[in-house]
Each structure stands twice: as structure tokens, then as C-alpha cells.
Amino acid sequence: MSRNRRRFFQDSAFFGAGFLALAESLGGNTPGNDPQTAREMEQGRHHSPYGKHDKKQVAPGPAGPDPFLPVVAPDLADLPHEVDGGVKVFRLVAEPVKRKIAPFKTIDVWGYNGSCPGPTIQVQQGDRVRIIFENKLPESTSIHWHGLEVPIEQDGVPWISQKPIAPGEKYVYEFTVHQEGTFFYHSHGAMQEMMGMIGFFVAHPERTYKPRADHDFGLILQEWAVLPNNRVPNTAAMEYNWLTFNGVSAPAITPMIAKLGSRVRLRIINMGMDHHPIHLHGNQFVLTGTEGGRAPESTWYPMNTVLVGVAQARVVEFDAKYPGSWMVHCHLPHHMMNSMMDLLRDRAIETANTRDAKALSQMETLAESVPFEHVHHSPIAENANSVPGFPQDAFMEMGMDEAVVKPEAHGLPPNWSAGLMGMMTLVRVLPDKEYEEMMMRIAGGETDEKVEHPHTS
Ligand SMILES: [Cu+2]
């Protein structure tokens, strides 16, 4: 088994639900559509050929709620559940986590069940939900169910609605979800929030939204202040140098794959210190929901940039009419880059008055310590150094296709990774045949064995 393939399987736990969801929504034959399999899934016996996914994709009886399309949050897993007497039981563990946010950068953060952000909880309107929570942090914590209308004793605020949950202690939350929408779970400690303690809590509607979506994606926005050669974020900082979607900085985040002609829903939540204007290239979308649930269609209007404020959820939808790899990114300029400090440290001093060749060799030297072969940069003018302000974006981009290879990146142009930094990702809208090939590739964990490496500089 190749290294790439092995790595895919290690990373693939999160993808099972996603592939199943896509297959289901696009009319594929899925385990959830088969009554026998559905029964087995409800009884917890079924093992999906696609990997780990939640049992709730079971098609319910005619009188029950509509089957739903699970949200796919790239690079995050779903939290599995069991059913106990009609109650959906989840087990959530707060603990320290090591999160690889870039090929050359792993940080020490706090999260849930080995993940930061935590795994995605998906339930349906009307569900009775029990969360058996365990605190493996070195300090007390609690969980707040952001946006959910729950009894006060379930609200998760230390000293107000409950005693803090001490290290090593368990605590059981239980409530009925009567709402639909995009909610979050998070620690109610401010510093713990900035250590990453957040996750999606999606309540699918009892009756499918109209128009229905074919793809439903989720992104969690976070920012981190991590000094060079450090691993622990400075939670007291007000300025950030690492910006992530779902705990991963571009280009390491997994692109979202949509079929040409499909309707795409994108749910975005923000629990940081900054507001993020999230922009989609080449398409218009409508705002169909907030942290309060679905918005009436009469309120929808076209836009392509949605401001996702702190503690807000924004849900947008668009028809994927145009083939291509369309960027989705925060438009705050400083959020469109990764920390250069680790690699370039004193870039301004070292490169401002030097020749292109020297800057390139400097970057190549620095890049020797990271797992990609070369760095690239776009051409610069011969007189660049005589222009006040130079350099700005010159020398900033770092192609690292080899370090972030994955099936979802197949077919992107060489050096594509140099075009994505910080809070950026892609929605890749693929025509039927390419889409089917991509789904096969993802299901098989196929990556390009050898990425063609352009030596343009
Ligand atoms: Cu931003």
C-alpha cells in the first residue's frame, strides 16, 4: 500500500458520511435506502462499505420525519451515536488535542474526542438527545448548546446553570431538540473557546427544506496566535497569524466536491475574536439561514460575500451552474495568508534590498526544514527593489502540492497550492463524468502517486 493510500485511510474516517451523503442525495444506491440494511443500521449491526457514518441516515416510516442529507464538514469526523429507548446517545470527551494545521505546523490545542474543532453532532428536529460528557482537561469545564432552546439546567454555564465539571468527572446533558438549524456546542469558558473548544451541532429539519440541497457542507472559522517555534496558541492575543477552516489552514484543507447542476448548501459558524466576510467566486448565493434557523424565502436576496460575525451561523445556498474550482475564502486580507513567521522570520529585512535570486535561495534554505521540496514565486520586475513598498505578495506563496496531496485535489493545475493560504478553500464543481470519477477516486482513496512538480523558478 502506497504512503498516500495509507494516509488516506488514516484520514478517511471523516469522509464516510460525506460520500454516503453525496451518493444518497444524487440518487445513488446507499445502505440507508434498503429496508433490511436500514433495520440493521438502527440496531447498530450494519457496517458501511464507505467507512464510518452515522446510523441516522435510516429512511424512517411514512409517518416519521423526512430522511435528511447529512452535513459534510471537510477534515472533521461525525460524532457517532447509539439509540437507547428512543434517545440518541452521544459520548463527548473534552481533552487536549494535537492539530496539524499545515504540513509543517502542528499546534497544541483543546478539543473533543481527539479533534479540534470537535466532531460534528447531527440530529433531527424532534429528537431526544443525551450527551454523556467526560472532562479529560486539566481544569473544569462545561458545554453550552449555542442557540438551542433547552431547559436552564442544560444550558452549560458554570455557576449559573450547573456546577463546573471537574477534571475526571462525567456529566450527562439531555434535552429534546424542537428546532431546526445550524447550532454549535462549545465550552463556556472564554479562554477555552480560544483554545478551540467548539463543534457543529446540526439539527436537520423534520420536513426537508425547499428547495432541497444536493450537497450540504460545513465550515468552522477559527484564528490562532502562535509565535514562531511555539505550539501553544496565545489565548490572550488580539492579533492572529494562523487562520483555519475546520482546524486546517489552506492549502491543507480538503476541497468540497459538487456536481454540476446541483444545489449546494454551505453552513459557516464562527466562535473566535474576529468577524469574517466569506466570499464565493464566480457564483451568487442567497442567505437561507442564521444561527436562529431557516430564513423565509421572501427574505433571500443575491449576494456573494456573507459576514459571519462572532457567535453567528450563516447558511448560504447556490446552484452550481458553472464548472470550475471556485474559491471560498475570508476576504480580510490578513486572513488570506498563513503565518510566514515560521518560515521567513525576518523576510522584510532579508529580502527588501536584495536580488530575486537571493530571496529565492533564502526561501529554499528555509524550506529544507519542511516536508515539501521547493518553493515558488511569481515573476518580479527587474527594477522591483527600486519600487517603494516592494515586496508585498512576492515571495509569499509556497507551492506544496506534494505535501497536501489528496483525491479531492486531483486534476488541479500544477502548483495550485501556491494559490491558497489561510482561510481559503475550493468548491470544485465537476461535470457528471468527472464527478463520478472523483467519487470513485475518493472511495478508493486514490491519490496521484507522483505529483508533477513544476520547476518554473
Ligand atoms: Cu477572516
Side-chain angles (χ1 to χ4, degrees):
M1 188 183 276
S2 74
R3 191 178 134 268
N4 285 337
R5 183 168 285 236
R6 209 161 41 239
R7 204 199 58 174
F8 172 81
F9 282 116
Q10 284 161 2
D11 294 345
S12 66
F14 71 87
F15 205 83
F19 178 72
L20 186 66
L22 298 183
E24 183 177 25
S25 86
L26 295 165
N29 192 18
T30 68
N33 291 343
D34 166 52
Q36 172 66 27
T37 311
R39 246 189 333 274
E40 288 178 355
M41 289 168 77
E42 195 60 70
Q43 292 159 2
R45 286 193 282 117
H46 185 74
H47 297 284
S48 164
Y50 307 119
K52 260 174 92 172
H53 63 84
D54 221 331
K55 293 174 214 130
K56 66 200 162 332
Q57 294 160 39
V58 172
D66 293 345
F68 64 82
L69 175 69
V71 171
V72 176
D75 303 307
L76 294 176
D78 274 3
L79 187 66
H81 73 269
E82 300 140 28
V83 178
D84 177 14
V87 180
K88 289 184 176 170
V89 181
F90 295 88
R91 293 171 194 278
L92 200 57
V93 180
E95 59 190 355
V97 170
K98 290 189 189 306
R99 184 71 173 176
K100 191 175 184 178
I101 58 173
F104 48 86
K105 191 74 182 176
T106 297
I107 57 175
D108 282 295
V109 289
W110 292 359
Y112 301 93
N113 299 53
S115 178
C116 175
T120 300
I121 295 177
Q122 309 208 37
V123 303
Q124 192 158 19
Q125 191 176 21
D127 280 346
R128 182 78 178 168
V129 175
R130 183 180 304 142
I131 294 101
I132 300 171
F133 174 67
E134 188 177 357
N135 181 12
K136 290 189 179 174
L137 294 174
E139 61 185 43
S140 297
T141 190
S142 64
I143 302 190
H144 172 59
W145 311 99
H146 188 104
L148 287 169
E149 296 171 359
V150 296
I152 183 64
E153 62 272 18
Q154 305 299 323
D155 197 43
V157 181
W159 306 114
I160 299 294
S161 61
Q162 68 171 97
K163 282 185 186 159
I165 304 162
E169 267 187 12
K170 280 191 178 176
Y171 191 89
V172 178
Y173 294 93
E174 186 166 327
F175 47 84
T176 300
V177 178
H178 70 85
Q179 297 154 275
E180 49 69 29
T182 308
F183 306 101
F184 355 152
Y185 64 89
H186 65 81
S187 158
H188 211 271
M191 305 303 271
Q192 290 180 3
E193 286 176 17
M194 291 310 295
M195 277 294 272
M197 301 194 69
I198 182 179
F200 266 116
F201 188 108
V202 177
H204 294 279
E206 197 173 359
R207 297 286 164 243
T208 307
Y209 297 134
K210 288 182 181 130
R212 64 192 287 279
D214 302 298
H215 303 280
D216 198 333
F217 296 111
L219 296 175
I220 299 178
L221 315 180
Q222 290 173 293
E223 63 255 325
W224 314 94
V226 191
L227 290 169
N229 304 313
N230 276 253
R231 295 172 65 103
V232 180
N234 176 2
T235 50
M238 294 292 285
E239 290 185 358
Y240 304 95
N241 56 352
W242 284 97
L243 290 300
T244 56
F245 282 155
N246 294 347
V248 190
S249 206
I253 186 167
T254 301
M256 297 175 277
I257 309 295
K259 190 172 184 173
L260 183 64
S262 67
R263 187 170 177 86
V264 179
R265 180 179 300 133
L266 182 56
R267 306 173 189 242
I268 310 159
I269 67 175
N270 177 12
M271 182 52 69
M273 291 283 287
D274 281 328
H275 310 294
H276 303 282
I278 303 297
H279 176 56
L280 170 67
H281 284 207
N283 295 267
Q284 315 309 319
F285 54 60
V286 286
L287 180 71
T288 59
T290 71
E291 66 282 350
R294 185 78 165 174
E297 190 165 349
S298 58
T299 68
W300 301 356
Y301 53 87
M303 55 204 295
N304 50 56
T305 306
V306 62
L307 185 64
V308 188
V310 173
Q312 292 184 329
R314 290 291 176 265
V315 183
V316 299
E317 293 179 13
F318 65 99
D319 294 315
K321 292 181 290 200
Y322 308 113
S325 295
W326 301 109
M327 296 212 89
V328 175
H329 67 95
C330 176
H331 223 301
L332 284 188
H334 286 191
H335 296 181
M336 296 168 63
M337 57 184 86
N338 297 328
S339 171
M340 305 304 288
M341 296 297 285
D342 286 88
L343 288 174
L344 295 182
R345 298 186 176 90
D346 46 3
R347 173 181 76 104
I349 296 166
E350 288 294 311
T351 62
N353 295 308
T354 56
R355 288 174 299 115
D356 178 27
K358 187 177 173 191
L360 181 61
S361 93
Q362 177 195 5
M363 284 196 63
E364 297 225 4
T365 305
L366 289 165
E368 279 171 15
S369 60
V370 300
F372 49 90
E373 287 175 21
H374 302 276
V375 292
H376 301 265
H377 64 87
S378 305
I380 61 171
E382 271 183 27
N383 70 337
N385 284 308
S386 68
V387 178
F390 176 83
Q392 293 299 329
D393 287 311
F395 316 128
M396 289 282 281
E397 60 194 32
M398 289 180 290
M400 55 179 92
D401 296 6
E402 305 93 329
V404 293
V405 66
K406 57 188 74 181
E408 294 84 351
H410 174 77
L412 289 170
N415 212 27
W416 66 272
S417 56
L420 288 97
M421 290 174 271
M423 279 186 170
M424 288 184 174
T425 187
L426 299 169
V427 177
R428 302 189 63 196
V429 178
L430 303 179
D432 290 8
K433 185 163 172 289
E434 283 174 51
Y435 179 83
E436 299 309 330
E437 284 169 6
M438 175 61 83
M439 289 299 107
M440 296 295 287
R441 207 165 251 283
I442 290 167
E446 284 175 41
T447 54
D448 303 304
E449 287 302 310
K450 190 174 180 306
V451 175
E452 190 190 330
H453 192 89
H455 290 262
T456 51
S457 3

